Amino acid sequence: MEIEKLRKLHPQHWEKANAIRVLTLDAVAAANSGHSGMPIGMADVATILFEKHLKFSTAQPNWPDRDRFILSAGHGSMLLYSVAYLCGYADFDIDQLKNFRQLGKKTAGHPENFLSDVIETTTGPLGQGIANSVGFAIAEESLRARFGQNIIDHHTFVIAGDGCLMEGVSQEAISLAGHLRLHKLIVFWDNNNITIDGTVDLTDSTDQKTRFEASGWEVIEIDGHDPEEIDSAISAAKKSEKPTMIACKTHIAIGTAAQDTSKGHGALTDPELIKDAREVYQWSHKPFDIPKSIKEQWEQAGLEGDKAFQRWRSHLESLSNSKRKEFERIFSGDAPKKLTSAIRKFKKESSAASPTIATRKSSELTLNAINSFMQETIGGSADLTGSNNTKSNDMKIFDKNNRKGRYIHYGIREHAMAAAMNGMALHGGIRPYGGTFMCFTDYARPAMRLAALMKIPTIFVMTHDSIGLGEDGPTHQPVEHLAISRSTPNTLVFRPADTIETAECWEIALSMKNTPSVLALSRQNLPTVRQKHQFANLVSKGAYILEEASKNRRVILIATGSEVSIALQARELLEDKGIGTRVVSMPCMELFSQQDETYKRRILPAGQAIRIGIEAGVRTGWDEWLLGHRARANKSSFVGMKSFGASAPAEVLFNHFGITPDRIASEAISLL
């Protein structure tokens, strides 16, 4: 619909949508940076969505049964900020918009979920939002099946652009959503045919409508500027039994001199262009000045949502006391009180049994001990269930026929799995975890990074964590991946040595509220190194003394995971030669870093004792413990990997690369 026709046929809608457009122009001009075109082009869709369809309450932004609105095309953040201000969210007053992209403000260049409850997820890296939305929709289906339609019954709406749909993760996500028939997921495709380099046909000729249909979606094609078509399409989508893609044909930067050009994608700051656009919009008000009548119309949508919230709260209060408390607990993110006692019981049994098993199997046994009472967990694997051991005995499959299932077969979609788990964590009420091989953190990495940035407790179960996986060879043997994960801020990387440490790692990971966890687990069997039951969770300190020197301490061996048992064997060799040797197990460097200096000095004391780090990975990240904390720089070494691995049985590889008790003992003696 062209501007003149839209203005004449829908004057009230035209004014409301133009409020988004002029606020975008004003904010981007004030910041002298940003992206103007998408918010201006999708203003009509956003206006109809918030006015007539989106269930939200400005007074209760965290309301569990609100509809979720995800701006996957996060560069168009001013669309979200403008609507939030117009609707009356307290976090977004006019001062926030006037200080768009400025330090300390909630109006960051791209939406950041941790800055405001109004923002559902951090977007900007294209494709992440649409992939997150699959997790949001899974969480809604699961919780509705568990608590009933009166408590959970909402939609997830997404605005995605051509860039989002070009990213590979989008295909992983939409094919999964279509397969699972996530019918409460509705995606608006901003079909404006423009990217930064020019028109879309420079790089892509995909028939997006056919692509979505082939992936199991309903597809509706509309004029993205016609309010009646927008309204009708959303109403139809909400009735569909499939996820729906609404293809919105739009003009990027509509009404400006940059309309339908790549220039329109970015910051429109030229004063003459802005002046001309205001004339086209017939907007004579000063910058950031929204007439009271238009503001009140926008705020009415939020007031209607307040009524819906009150009705929902009465339904919540009608639940039994125990069910209501459980609902409130899972949305608070608190772990059940039973978790600690269950882990202690499991540890005691495991210490007594002292099994020699892979830590991936230890993980499965731990999950068997906790998943039956921790009903908020949803597990899964990227087509490696039997290898990752992520499915506990009590778990049924979540699919289109069983929404009560708590295990998801993600298929070979590592990136979408990680992003969908982030969506579940962001939705609330769910504790997601999912597995693949450690080397495939490469495929999941963008979503793992965003989990850390967004401060959400997603759990990434990464098995086959070293050359110990053996014959599959260097393509599957992660040597640098521990270092990459550890270098990511706000991430806990756990590498347990046995079943006891594995259980303690799970207890910590499931208790986190603002930090994701990476569990690096072995393929090969490992002996139990903690045979004496200890009440405390020693992993919570990050590192601890596993075996003390029997004589004057001259060597400290620091190891993680499968190499802890190797360090213990090296200690025996050194002790037999009269060399006092301490073994420190360091399952989580990040937690050890958080301890006070007194504790750190107790575990790694200053003095003459040499330090040797032992890990079947690269050295990066180890120098803090080998050279720092008052250690003597010329009295340390690292036994690990300096190259990629090779294809051979695990024991052959450990010998070949020199990660052996003899090599460690020899290294220590040479340093003394």
Side-chain angles (χ1 to χ4, degrees):
M1 182 176 288
E2 297 305 318
I3 285 177
E4 193 58 36
K5 187 177 180 181
L6 179 59
R7 180 191 295 132
K8 288 181 178 179
L9 292 179
H10 307 283
Q12 189 178 62
H13 165 83
W14 170 249
E15 286 191 330
K16 289 180 66 178
N18 281 344
I20 297 173
R21 295 183 174 110
V22 295
L23 285 171
T24 296
L25 287 171
D26 294 342
V28 171
N32 198 33
S33 73
H35 299 81
S36 309
M38 192 283 280
I40 292 173
M42 286 296 283
D44 297 300
V45 171
T47 300
I48 295 300
L49 176 63
F50 275 79
E51 178 186 27
K52 296 188 175 182
H53 293 279
L54 198 75
K55 182 171 64 172
F56 70 101
S57 167
T58 53
Q60 302 289 338
N62 267 332
W63 172 23
D65 197 35
R66 68 192 181 278
D67 285 340
R68 269 60 170 186
F69 173 65
I70 296 171
L71 190 66
S72 189
H75 56 273
S77 57
M78 269 309 302
L79 176 74
L80 176 56
Y81 304 150
S82 297
V83 170
Y85 162 68
L86 291 166
C87 288
Y89 280 106
D91 275 359
F92 291 93
D93 59 21
I94 200 66
D95 181 66
Q96 291 287 341
L97 273 63
K98 288 180 178 179
N99 288 280
F100 177 51
R101 290 183 157 223
Q102 303 309 303
L103 184 64
K105 297 299 180 181
K106 300 180 187 297
T107 46
H110 293 85
E112 307 287 2
N113 72 297
F114 51 85
L115 295 178
S116 171
D117 291 336
V118 181
I119 302 170
E120 300 289 356
T121 181
T122 293
T123 54
L126 294 176
Q128 289 299 313
I130 193 171
N132 289 162
S133 75
V134 176
F136 276 90
I138 290 171
E140 192 276 341
E141 294 278 4
S142 175
L143 291 165
R144 177 156 40 89
R146 182 179 176 188
F147 289 97
Q149 197 164 350
N150 283 338
I151 306 302
I152 295 292
D153 185 21
H154 55 262
H155 288 81
T156 300
F157 295 95
V158 184
I159 289 180
D162 292 300
C164 289
L165 301 191
M166 285 189 202
E167 292 287 357
V169 70
S170 72
Q171 182 56 36
E172 294 184 26
I174 69 171
S175 62
L176 179 60
H179 176 72
L180 293 175
R181 295 182 75 89
L182 301 175
H183 70 288
K184 285 183 171 287
L185 175 57
I186 300 171
V187 172
F188 301 97
W189 169 34
D190 178 19
N191 179 18
N192 60 39
N193 195 42
I194 294 294
T195 65
I196 293 174
D197 281 354
T199 55
V200 169
D201 58 16
L202 281 173
T203 56
D204 193 35
S205 55
T206 303
D207 183 336
Q208 297 291 358
K209 299 186 291 294
T210 301
R211 174 192 174 206
F212 272 80
E213 286 172 345
S215 298
W217 287 58
E218 196 81 49
V219 174
I220 303 171
E221 191 170 7
I222 64 169
D223 179 338
H225 300 297
D226 186 329
E228 291 182 353
E229 288 192 24
I230 298 167
D231 184 21
S232 177
I234 298 173
S235 295
K238 288 161 75 173
K239 296 175 183 176
S240 177
E241 292 303 311
K242 301 178 182 179
T244 300
M245 188 269 266
I246 302 176
C248 308
K249 187 58 186 171
T250 61
H251 297 284
I252 196 168
I254 188 172
T256 76
Q259 177 177 321
D260 299 330
T261 69
S262 57
K263 179 183 177 182
H265 170 86
L268 302 180
T269 58
D270 179 71
E272 196 64 28
L273 179 148
I274 295 172
K275 176 177 173 292
D276 291 345
R278 284 173 171 271
E279 289 179 2
V280 171
Y281 301 151
Q282 296 186 350
W283 195 274
S284 59
H285 313 286
K286 294 179 180 179
F288 298 105
D289 181 16
I290 304 298
K292 182 179 179 182
S293 60
I294 296 176
K295 184 74 161 64
E296 287 177 346
Q297 290 176 57
W298 270 101
E299 290 175 350
Q300 187 59 38
L303 294 175
E304 289 299 317
D306 291 338
K307 297 175 185 176
F309 169 76
Q310 296 300 334
R311 290 193 295 272
W312 172 84
R313 188 164 66 176
S314 67
H315 290 309
L316 183 67
E317 291 172 350
S318 70
L319 293 177
S320 66
N321 189 52
S322 60
K323 198 166 189 177
R324 187 179 70 254
K325 285 185 175 180
E326 176 67 1
F327 183 87
E328 291 169 347
R329 180 189 68 77
I330 62 175
F331 270 91
S332 75
D334 292 336
K337 293 179 180 178
K338 189 177 179 180
L339 177 62
T340 297
S341 61
I343 291 293
R344 286 173 178 165
K345 180 175 182 291
F346 176 73
K347 283 167 53 180
K348 187 174 184 179
E349 293 170 349
S350 298
S351 293
S354 294
T356 297
I357 55 176
T359 51
R360 60 175 175 152
K361 182 64 177 179
S362 302
S363 175
E364 179 186 29
L365 296 175
T366 305
L367 290 171
N368 282 333
I370 60 181
N371 272 342
S372 60
F373 66 83
M374 202 167 177
Q375 291 288 303
E376 64 267 36
T377 57
I378 289 184
S381 171
D383 199 52
L384 290 166
T385 296
S387 294
N388 299 147
N389 300 101
T390 42
K391 184 177 181 294
S392 59
N393 293 334
D394 65 306
M395 282 183 157
K396 306 299 182 185
I397 306 303
F398 177 97
D399 58 24
K400 63 185 178 182
N401 299 314
N402 181 21
R403 300 311 201 192
K404 291 186 177 181
R406 292 166 48 220
Y407 191 82
I408 299 173
H409 289 296
Y410 286 103
I412 303 92
R413 301 183 180 96
E414 294 89 356
H415 194 174
M417 175 182 74
M421 290 195 297
N422 285 348
M424 287 181 236
L426 289 160
H427 179 282
I430 301 292
R431 282 274 181 179
Y433 68 86
T436 186
F437 287 177
M438 185 77 189
C439 64
F440 298 144
T441 56
D442 287 340
Y443 289 161
R445 169 70 183 157
M448 295 173 72
R449 177 179 184 268
L450 281 175
L453 177 63
M454 293 191 288
K455 304 177 184 178
I456 53 175
T458 315
I459 300 174
F460 304 99
V461 182
M462 301 300 180
T463 67
H464 298 59
D465 70 341
S466 74
I467 59 170
L469 72 85
E471 291 87 344
D472 275 344
T475 60
H476 283 52
Q477 292 166 3
V479 296
E480 74 273 35
H481 299 74
L482 284 166
I484 291 170
S485 296
R486 287 170 179 153
S487 69
T488 306
N490 190 41
T491 300
L492 296 180
V493 181
F494 296 101
R495 192 163 186 252
D498 66 0
T499 300
I500 312 304
E501 284 194 356
T502 302
E504 293 180 345
C505 292
W506 268 110
E507 181 184 8
I508 296 165
L510 289 169
S511 300
M512 289 293 106
K513 288 189 176 184
N514 302 305
T515 305
S517 299
V518 177
L519 272 66
L521 306 173
S522 76
R523 175 187 186 242
Q524 72 273 32
N525 290 337
L526 305 177
T528 298
V529 298
R530 294 251 303 270
Q531 296 183 358
K532 181 180 179 182
H533 175 58
Q534 290 166 293
F535 196 72
N537 185 322
L538 300 186
V539 172
S540 67
K541 295 288 190 180
Y544 61 94
I545 300 168
L546 180 60
E547 288 288 345
E548 185 55 283
S550 62
K551 305 176 179 65
N552 180 41
R553 183 178 60 247
R554 301 178 65 196
V555 176
I556 301 176
L557 303 179
I558 314 166
T560 77
S562 50
E563 288 69 73
V564 171
S565 58
I566 296 174
L568 290 172
Q569 295 173 52
R571 174 186 177 275
E572 290 183 13
L573 295 176
L574 291 166
E575 289 276 344
D576 286 346
K577 294 180 181 297
I579 301 171
T581 303
R582 169 187 287 185
V583 173
V584 171
S585 178
M586 188 177 280
C588 185
M589 291 183 178
E590 296 77 25
L591 288 177
F592 187 57
S593 292
Q594 295 171 16
Q595 305 309 308
D596 60 43
E597 285 301 314
T598 300
Y599 181 79
K600 284 190 276 193
R601 283 195 297 269
R602 180 157 66 86
I603 305 303
L604 299 177
Q608 297 300 314
I610 66 169
R611 300 180 187 182
I612 298 178
I614 310 159
E615 186 171 72
V618 297
R619 178 169 177 155
T620 305
W622 272 89
D623 284 355
E624 180 177 0
W625 317 118
L626 301 180
L627 305 179
H629 294 289
R630 297 160 66 195
R632 293 176 59 180
N634 64 332
K635 293 292 184 179
S636 67
S637 184
F638 178 76
V639 175
M641 298 295 293
K642 295 181 180 179
S643 67
F644 292 108
S647 180
E651 60 274 15
V652 173
L653 291 173
F654 276 91
N655 283 322
H656 176 73
F657 289 105
I659 308 175
T660 64
D662 288 339
R663 159 80 187 288
I664 296 163
S666 175
E667 191 78 13
I669 292 168
S670 70
L671 289 171
L672 287 172

